[in-house]
């Protein structure tokens, strides 16, 4: 493994460990540890494993991808935990009490390694899949610790027992916004370029867009060309990941970037393991500028230098959306912020990544309707709906919200502009009933407020 520096836990990581122990003391047997991508959940669970092993407990760490196997093994080594690896291509040490296991491998070897006291389920939002379920049901006497940034299935349903899952409580770490403010995650600048993938009329299959129809909508020259141009304008020179719909789509996008002179390659699950590892490493060492992907690196990639993410895969899944953006949120020396180029309209569907999302065993608590965001008309930056000025170009929404003709009558250019006006300005304006109802709904006013405002306007 080489020389791996010892791990110094951050205060919030220590708090999560205490919360986990308190959950077990209170009678819980299967907590989920929720922590944003890049927040260090592998470090946290490795310290929990270290403490359990020191008390003579047998621990199994379940992962589903080769990149995660290596990551878990390195972090356990850094924590001083001797362990074995149960996966193809790794030297096995079956007698060691701590094992990192590939889900695919251990499913074929159930019963060979005995019982465990604690099972850590990495990326536990996959735990309802048949192979995971088979393992967990066969080892039902063990305590569980699920770990994920997004504790919900891809269809948004929760991971709790009432939803057919295995977990009985959630322990959440700091929000993405707090981690950014404290310097543990990179700030994010999101852009919604005018050239967007058109998803109107696409069928839904298994909770997401029909892949065949989606590929036809996304894998077109005008979208791919716009992605290359937006990268050139906003993030050139930064290592970038482009998330695509299919392998063919990812290959075509990589080819387009190569045609413009960029060092680009496509990575997907059908590649030999060594080649896939080499391509991902190339993104970190500068040999590759643009890495295109179909699903394979929406989880498990740990390349802090990634400076941009290109979204070319529209999705109805909030979980997939956050996993993809999270690949670029780790901070790095000289990295001022992550650039997200959203040609998929995913941020308009799901919100900005630093929005304070609430998780429960039932899934994410998501408000109905479109995400509370808007796009700056000058520079295409995606902003919170309440923003009155764009921090990137200085555009002032309130100056463009109204055109005064006689001090009372106004023209509102958008619903967004109306919603963000302060109350003291609203009461001076003559608005339609429709506009008043919109404002009342946005600010939580009772229906009677609209009636009285209309009466006051008539008296002016």
């Amino acid at each position: 493994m080489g020389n791996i520096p010892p791990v110094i836990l951050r205060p919030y990581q220590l708090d999560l460990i205490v919360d986990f122990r308190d959950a077990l003391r209170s009678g819980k047997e299967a907590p989920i540890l929720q922590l944003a991508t890049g927040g260090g959940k592998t470090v946290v669970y490795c310290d929990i494993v270290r403490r359990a092993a020191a008390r003579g407990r047998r621990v199994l760490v379940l992962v589903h991808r080769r990149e995660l196997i290596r990551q878990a093994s390195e972090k356990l080594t850094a924590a001083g935990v001797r362990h074995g690896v149960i996966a193809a291509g790794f030297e096995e040490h079956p007698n060691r009490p701590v094992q990192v296991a590939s889900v695919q491998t251990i499913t074929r070897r159930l019963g060979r390694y005995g019982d465990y006291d604690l099972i850590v389920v990495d990326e536990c939002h996959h735990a309802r899949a048949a192979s995971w379920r088979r393992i967990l049901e066969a080892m039902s006497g063990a305590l569980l610790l699920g770990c994920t940034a997004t504790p919900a299935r891809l269809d948004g349903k929760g991971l709790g027992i009432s939803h057919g899952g295995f977990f009985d409580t959630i322990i959440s770490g700091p929000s993405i916004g707090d981690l950014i403010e404290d310097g543990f995650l990179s700030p994010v600048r999101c852009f919604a370029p005018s050239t967007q993938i058109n998803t109107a009329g696409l069928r839904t299959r298994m909770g997401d867009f029909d892949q065949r129809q989606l590929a036809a909508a996304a894998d077109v020259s005008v979208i791919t060309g716009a992605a290359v141009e937006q990268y050139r304008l906003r993030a050139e020179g930064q290592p970038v990941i482009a998330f695509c719909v299919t392998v063919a789509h990812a290959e075509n996008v990589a080819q387009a970037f190569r045609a413009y002179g960029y060092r680009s390659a496509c990575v997907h699950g059908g590649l030999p393991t060594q080649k896939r590892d080499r391509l991902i490493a190339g993104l970190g060492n500068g040999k590759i500028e643009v890495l295109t992907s179909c699903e394979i690196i929406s989880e498990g990639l740990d390349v802090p230098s990634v400076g941009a993410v290109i979204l070319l895969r529209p999705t109805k899944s909030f979980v997939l959306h956050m996993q993809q953006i999270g690949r670029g949120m780790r901070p790095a020396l000289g990295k001022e912020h992550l650039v997200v180029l959203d040609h998929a309209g995913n941020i308009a569907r799901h919100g900005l990544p630093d929005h304070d999302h609430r998780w429960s065993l039932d899934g994410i608590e998501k408000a109905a309707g479109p995400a509370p965001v808007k796009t700056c008309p000058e520079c295409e930056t995606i902003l919170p709906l309440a923003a009155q000025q764009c921090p990137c170009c200085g555009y002032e929404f309130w100056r463009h919200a109204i055109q005064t003709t006689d001090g009372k009558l106004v023209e509102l250019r958008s619903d967004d502009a109306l919603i963000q006006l302060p109350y003291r300005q609203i009461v001076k304006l003559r608005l339609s009933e429709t506009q008043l109802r919109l404002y009342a709904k946005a600010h939580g006013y009772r229906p009677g407020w609209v009636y009285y405002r209309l009466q006051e306007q008539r008296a002016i």
Side-chain angles (χ1 to χ4, degrees):
M1 294 295 178
N3 294 323
I4 301 176
V7 176
I8 299 175
L9 294 174
R10 301 165 182 169
Y12 69 83
Q13 294 171 334
L14 292 169
D15 289 341
L16 286 169
I17 293 169
V18 172
D19 291 344
F20 169 71
R21 295 169 63 184
D22 288 346
L24 296 186
R25 291 193 185 102
S26 71
K28 302 299 183 183
E29 297 181 342
I32 293 175
L33 188 156
Q34 184 276 322
L35 184 59
T37 300
K41 55 186 175 294
T42 306
V43 172
V44 175
Y45 79 63
C46 284
D47 196 77
I48 290 173
V49 171
R50 178 186 66 79
R51 295 166 188 252
R55 297 196 302 273
R57 306 292 192 263
R58 299 190 77 236
V59 184
L60 178 67
V61 179
L62 280 179
V63 299
H64 72 297
R65 286 190 175 157
R66 185 179 181 85
E67 295 81 10
L68 294 172
I69 292 172
R70 184 179 294 109
Q71 185 181 113
S73 183
E74 289 178 352
K75 292 294 193 295
L76 283 170
T77 299
V81 180
R82 285 170 55 83
H83 60 280
V85 177
I86 304 172
F90 289 85
E91 181 181 357
E92 294 192 15
H93 299 278
N95 295 324
R96 292 179 179 175
V98 175
Q99 297 288 329
V100 178
S102 158
V103 170
Q104 295 81 359
T105 300
I106 205 165
T107 299
R108 298 191 297 267
R109 304 181 187 178
L110 279 177
R112 186 181 300 184
Y113 300 97
D115 296 327
Y116 290 90
D117 302 295
L118 171 65
I119 299 177
V120 177
V121 186
D122 198 10
E123 304 293 356
C124 68
H125 50 278
H126 294 292
R128 281 199 54 178
S131 55
W132 298 72
R133 178 172 290 278
R134 185 181 172 193
I135 297 168
L136 297 179
E137 288 178 347
M139 302 181 182
S140 58
L143 296 172
L144 297 184
L145 171 60
C147 298
T148 181
T150 51
R153 292 158 45 184
L154 290 179
D155 61 7
K157 294 181 180 178
L159 304 179
I161 295 171
S162 64
H163 291 276
F166 294 92
F167 302 98
D168 56 14
T169 189
I170 287 183
I171 303 165
S172 288
S175 69
I176 290 177
D178 287 341
L179 290 171
I180 291 173
E181 185 176 350
D182 292 338
F184 296 122
L185 289 181
S186 173
V188 184
R189 286 181 59 181
C190 301
F191 297 91
S194 57
T195 306
Q196 294 277 303
I197 298 168
N198 184 8
T199 59
L202 298 188
R203 291 193 300 267
T204 297
R205 291 176 62 88
M206 300 179 67
D208 208 345
F209 295 111
D210 178 87
Q211 189 177 61
R212 181 176 297 180
Q213 289 187 334
L214 187 61
D219 193 4
V220 293
S221 58
V222 65
I223 298 292
T224 303
V228 175
E229 178 64 12
Q230 287 292 315
Y231 172 71
R232 185 187 67 80
L233 289 173
R234 303 189 190 277
E236 188 169 52
Q238 298 291 327
V240 61
I241 304 170
F243 292 99
C244 303
V245 181
T246 63
V247 173
H249 181 206
E251 292 278 15
N252 291 339
V253 173
Q255 175 58 41
F257 273 95
R258 287 195 296 270
Y260 279 84
Y262 295 107
R263 299 185 300 278
S264 181
C266 170
V267 63
H268 56 85
L271 293 175
T273 299
Q274 289 185 341
K275 183 175 182 179
R276 192 170 73 227
D277 292 347
R278 186 170 64 252
L279 292 175
I280 293 174
L283 190 65
N285 61 30
K287 293 182 178 179
I288 292 176
E289 295 171 285
V290 182
L291 190 63
T292 69
S293 165
C294 173
E295 305 291 351
I296 194 68
I297 54 176
S298 60
E299 297 166 348
L301 181 79
D302 188 1
V303 182
S305 61
V306 168
V309 169
I310 303 175
L311 304 181
L312 295 170
R313 198 265 194 235
T315 180
K316 294 184 178 182
S317 170
F318 175 81
V319 170
L320 181 58
H321 166 66
M322 291 300 294
Q323 289 284 346
Q324 290 180 346
I325 292 180
R327 294 310 106 196
M329 291 193 66
R330 286 178 171 84
L333 185 65
K335 179 177 173 180
E336 295 182 2
H337 53 258
L338 171 71
V339 173
V340 177
L341 303 175
D342 184 11
H343 294 269
N346 288 337
I347 294 174
R349 291 184 191 93
H350 303 296
L352 290 160
D354 58 354
H355 183 73
D356 189 11
H357 302 103
R358 304 289 181 181
W359 297 98
S360 74
L361 293 174
D362 297 321
I364 184 172
E365 299 175 7
K366 185 177 179 182
V373 298
K374 61 186 176 186
T375 302
C376 175
E378 293 292 335
C379 70
E380 299 180 330
T381 301
I382 305 176
L383 303 168
L385 188 60
Q388 297 195 26
Q389 185 175 27
C390 175
C392 298
C393 71
Y395 180 88
E396 295 178 313
F397 287 86
W398 67 273
R399 288 187 181 275
H400 297 79
I402 58 175
Q403 292 179 335
T404 304
T405 56
D406 62 2
K408 296 179 181 178
L409 302 177
V410 298
E411 175 190 353
L412 293 168
R413 296 186 178 180
S414 70
D415 290 344
D416 289 351
L418 169 64
I419 290 170
Q420 68 185 329
L421 288 178
Y423 181 82
R424 64 180 180 276
Q425 190 167 1
I426 284 290
V427 296
K428 297 178 181 178
L429 305 177
R430 189 184 300 277
L431 302 175
S432 69
E433 182 175 351
T434 299
Q435 290 173 320
L436 287 170
R437 290 190 182 281
L438 178 66
Y439 191 86
K441 181 179 180 181
H443 292 268
Y445 297 160
R446 295 185 178 183
W449 180 84
V450 175
Y451 171 81
Y452 287 111
R453 280 300 310 139
L454 287 171
Q455 296 300 314
E456 290 173 356
Q457 287 183 176
R458 292 190 183 106
I460 297 177

